[in-house]
Amino acid sequence: MKRNTKINLLLLLAVAALAVLPLALGLGDHKEEPFTGADAEAETAITEIEPDYEPWFSPLYEPPSGEIESALFAVQAALGAGVLAYYFGLRRGRRQGAERALAEPRVSAGDD
């Protein structure tokens, strides 16, 4: 097995473990909503420390429900992943094209 394949498999295993371990170990079972975002956790902590706190600004758009907010976040993540995949694919294609160009024997115009 190639070195890159082993590294990719280890990275895939690590990502799967990060996704499954919190669920398997029951982390967050003591909370009403165990896997809320960092914004909600920060808001709760600030409200506990300073009950009269007023935010400096309000969001430009407030989704009507948590499901829509999650869907918009998922679309944003998918678009970001698509842009990154396109960029890395483009770089790899250019690199492979350059390698092929160097490997092919050059034919000059006078060698007919």
Side-chain angles (χ1 to χ4, degrees):
M1 191 181 303
K2 290 184 179 180
R3 182 175 184 263
N4 285 342
T5 305
K6 288 180 183 178
I7 291 172
N8 287 340
L9 287 175
L10 286 173
L11 288 173
L12 185 63
L13 182 64
V15 168
L18 285 173
V20 173
L21 281 177
L23 297 172
L25 297 176
L27 301 177
D29 284 348
H30 61 284
K31 296 181 180 180
E32 186 177 320
E33 294 184 31
F35 298 107
T36 58
D39 293 342
E41 294 287 331
E43 184 179 347
T44 303
I46 290 170
T47 306
E48 288 175 2
I49 294 170
E50 184 66 42
D52 298 330
Y53 174 77
E54 289 293 323
W56 293 356
F57 57 89
S58 61
L60 297 175
Y61 172 69
E62 188 75 33
S65 70
E67 290 82 10
I68 293 175
E69 185 176 359
S70 294
L72 289 173
F73 182 75
V75 167
Q76 177 186 358
L79 285 172
V83 168
L84 283 175
Y86 174 78
Y87 172 74
F88 287 121
L90 186 68
R91 281 193 53 195
R92 182 175 182 175
R94 286 183 179 173
R95 186 179 65 236
Q96 287 177 344
E99 289 172 359
R100 284 187 194 136
L102 291 173
E104 291 178 2
R106 296 189 180 237
V107 177
S108 63
D111 289 345
D112 288 334

